[in-house]
Amino acid sequence: MSDTIQQDWDPRSESVLDDQIAAYDEIRGRCPVAYSDYLQWSLFHHEDVMRVLEDHETFSNAASRHLSVPNAMDPPEHTHFRRLIEPYFGPAAMSDFAPQCRAIAEAVVDRLPADGEVEAMAEMGQDFALEIQCAFMGWPTCLHEPLRAWVNRQQAATLAGDREALGELALEFDGVIREQLHHRRALGDAAPDDVTTRIMKETVKGRPLSDEEIVSILRNWTVGELGTISASIGILMNYLARNPALQTRLRDEPSLLSTAIDEILRLDAPLMSNRRITTRPVEIGGRHLAAGERLTLLWGSANRDEAVFDDPDEVRLDRDPKDNLLYGAGIHVCPGAPLARMELEFFMEALLTATVELAPASGRSAIRARYPAGGYSAVPLRVRTAKPASMAS
């Protein structure tokens, strides 16, 4: 049994938490499948992570204690729900949302000072994530600040390992969603024709979705988006501030933005991990695992594996995109990837168009986020925009 196995590493040690990326790089070279009491079996190699992603019969997604649609489901149940949600992120849906998405990106960027300092995570990343997600879901702008407060409390409880607080926060968030459902039902035929209303009308296997299933779907979309989009903005702004040559190139060649964004987020993961559970005994990475063992897939390591990515710390725009696990792979590849890519591209396009310089803030450094978050908890930067100083916000 795994509870008798000696620990190979401690994911909660200060040396790991202070810089997860550097720690994972070191562990990957000496113990590609490592055991810990906290994360159980952690997979560091790209090859092993891909094997898990492509063998959902041996490595089940049903690793959550709570209903998670369709994230913690396996086929055939997963297939029915996946077929239901994919059109919400299809080409037609993205085309419809694009003008509003671009307008929000430009509005957030327009708040930058003409010449001064900005904290990229809170002032740019979090603002954009809140506003864009509420707009996509059809939720009112009055939810921006309550959701911001909820995100901050949730992050604090996660870092503190406060399970009781996390449980209360989960119920609170579900209450926000249920209030939106109640509001639309009260409006009847006058309810807005938005993503939330349309999900409420969906069926699966010939029956209406239960409220629990609707809440789960909307929770997964929203909580995941709020965290990963803001983390991605922080990572991208921090990287470009420290790499002025690439910053200049992307201003001159905006057609490279999409490729550059995926590559920057490959080397500095906004989402650090996902979970699986074994359905039968299996050997992976030279370790023998029994049925029922829990695994942690470390995107922050697999996407930097030297066996797949030459010079993994370098942003190279000629890499094969199929190797990048930013949005996962296999049947559980992120269905919201088209939306996330569009949001990030529009934001970065607006940012690079509006600014003439991004640079590290004087005397202050970016602060790494701690597991389970990826990226940074703070990114202080200096910005210089093309607008007159009299317009500084």
Side-chain angles (χ1 to χ4, degrees), residues 54-332:
E54 293 174 343
D55 183 1
H56 56 83
E57 292 184 354
T58 302
F59 305 99
S60 169
N61 241 52
S64 175
R65 298 179 179 88
H66 309 287
L67 179 66
S68 183
V69 181
N71 305 40
M73 292 178 168
D74 296 318
E77 189 177 29
H78 168 269
T79 307
H80 297 298
F81 284 98
R82 180 75 185 217
R83 190 178 297 128
L84 180 157
I85 67 176
E86 281 185 341
Y88 288 85
F89 304 99
M94 295 301 93
S95 178
D96 289 344
F97 187 56
Q100 190 177 10
C101 182
R102 187 184 294 276
I104 292 171
E106 292 173 350
V108 171
V109 167
D110 194 51
R111 298 171 202 159
L112 286 169
D115 187 352
E117 293 193 354
V118 63
E119 202 289 280
M121 284 296 300
E123 298 175 43
M124 293 283 102
Q126 196 175 76
D127 277 8
F128 182 62
L130 287 165
E131 293 178 31
I132 205 72
Q133 185 61 16
C134 284
F136 180 71
M137 303 298 294
W139 294 359
T141 57
C142 64
L143 281 178
H144 292 171
E145 292 313 309
L147 286 178
R148 184 195 306 277
W150 182 91
V151 168
N152 292 338
R153 285 184 286 126
Q154 196 261 355
Q155 289 174 343
T158 299
L159 289 175
D162 189 338
R163 291 185 176 274
E164 182 177 352
L166 287 170
E168 293 172 355
L169 286 163
L171 290 175
E172 180 182 332
F173 197 91
D174 286 0
V176 171
I177 298 174
R178 291 180 187 277
E179 185 176 335
Q180 292 301 311
L181 305 187
H182 176 76
H183 174 67
R184 284 162 173 75
R185 289 187 177 122
L187 290 174
D189 292 341
D193 181 23
D194 55 29
V195 165
T196 301
T197 301
R198 290 196 290 274
I199 280 285
M200 294 170 65
K201 298 176 180 178
E202 293 284 4
T203 61
V204 62
K205 294 186 287 187
R207 63 164 178 83
L209 294 179
S210 68
D211 271 14
E212 289 72 19
E213 289 166 339
I214 296 170
V215 168
S216 178
I217 291 170
L218 299 184
R219 183 203 310 122
N220 285 335
W221 287 0
T222 306
V223 174
E225 182 86 349
L226 292 178
T228 55
I229 290 297
S230 59
S232 296
I233 296 295
I235 291 167
L236 293 166
M237 291 183 69
N238 182 67
Y239 188 87
L240 291 182
R242 284 157 175 75
N243 292 272
L246 179 60
Q247 187 183 141
T248 299
R249 184 181 180 189
L250 293 178
R251 284 197 182 91
D252 294 339
E253 300 179 73
S255 62
L256 298 176
L257 256 178
S258 180
T259 301
I261 288 169
D262 278 12
E263 174 68 354
I264 293 169
L265 297 179
R266 173 198 64 76
L267 64 86
D268 203 344
L271 177 66
M272 199 56 76
S273 67
N274 276 132
R275 296 178 295 173
R276 295 293 192 274
I277 188 168
T278 57
T279 62
R280 53 196 176 202
V282 63
E283 181 179 337
I284 186 165
R287 308 299 291 262
H288 296 276
L289 279 62
E293 295 283 5
R294 294 182 174 271
L295 300 98
T296 302
L297 311 184
L298 288 171
W299 310 118
S301 174
N303 255 351
R304 296 171 53 81
D305 189 341
E306 300 84 351
V308 177
F309 304 101
D310 293 334
D311 302 316
D313 274 314
E314 297 296 318
V315 166
R316 287 183 20 195
L317 305 184
D318 61 346
R319 295 191 195 274
D320 189 339
K322 74 175 177 59
D323 293 328
N324 192 335
L325 299 178
L326 175 60
Y327 295 102
I331 65 169
H332 291 286

Side-chain angles (χ1 to χ4, degrees), residues 329-368:
I331 65 169
H332 291 286
V333 65
C334 178
L339 175 62
R341 284 192 165 105
M342 181 173 73
E343 291 170 348
L344 294 173
E345 187 170 347
F346 283 174
F347 180 90
M348 296 307 295
E349 181 181 298
L351 178 71
L352 292 173
T353 299
T355 60
V356 294
E357 181 185 28
L358 295 172
S362 177
R364 293 191 295 157
S365 300
I367 301 171
R368 281 274 178 196

